[in-house]
Every structure is written in C-alpha cells, then in structure tokens.
Amino acid sequence: VGTSRCRDAIGASIAVSQGDRTWVRPIISGHSYQSDSSPRLHFGLPKPDEPLSVKIQWSLDKQQQLTDIRPNQQLRLIEPQD
C-alpha cells in the first residue's frame, strides 16, 4: 500500500531473495482495454522452508528491506512515511 504518491503502489518493484537467487516483480495496472491486474504478487519458491529477504523499491528515492521472512504467507506491505 503506497502512502505518498500512489495508494495502489503502481510502479513499485518487489525483489524476493532466497539463498543466491532473486525474483523481481513490478506492481502494474491493467494490461489492455478495460482490464485490471491484481495488486497481489505471487513468488513460487524452490525451498519452502528457507527464510528469505524482500526488497521493495517504492520510488526512485525510497526503498525498504525486510529480512528473515518465512515463506508461505501473505504480506501486506505499507510504504513507510518519511
């Protein structure tokens, strides 16, 4: 959830790292005429028991890092206020 520029966090990028691998997904809006995209991102991880880190690029000048996150859960990410 964005707090400063866009409440839907459109344009933010999420990078999930587990071990030496990293997966990146952008948060986007609609792909075509009269469509929309879910704001939820799903990452299929090869090691469901290994902790991971999450890096959120909210904007060009704002990042957030979460570490030691356990897999197999939903996270609601909220952009930190300045």
Side-chain angles (χ1 to χ4, degrees):
V1 176
T3 58
S4 62
R5 295 186 180 125
C6 178
R7 290 220 13 99
D8 294 328
I10 303 299
S13 179
I14 311 295
V16 172
S17 298
Q18 188 179 55
D20 61 348
R21 297 190 63 186
T22 300
W23 300 267
V24 180
R25 305 270 191 285
I27 298 177
I28 57 174
S29 182
H31 292 339
S32 63
Y33 180 68
Q34 292 187 346
S35 70
D36 198 5
S37 301
S38 171
R40 292 184 178 145
L41 300 177
H42 179 267
F43 295 85
L45 303 170
K47 298 177 183 174
D49 298 326
E50 186 176 313
L52 47 97
S53 65
V54 178
K55 181 179 177 183
I56 305 103
Q57 183 73 43
W58 292 102
S59 62
L60 291 177
D61 60 345
K62 191 182 288 187
Q63 293 182 4
Q64 184 178 11
Q65 181 84 27
L66 306 172
T67 58
D68 202 27
I69 303 296
R70 63 180 174 80
N72 295 321
Q73 65 174 323
Q74 289 185 14
L75 299 176
R76 183 169 191 233
L77 304 173
I78 299 175
E79 179 181 10
Q81 305 243 345
D82 289 333

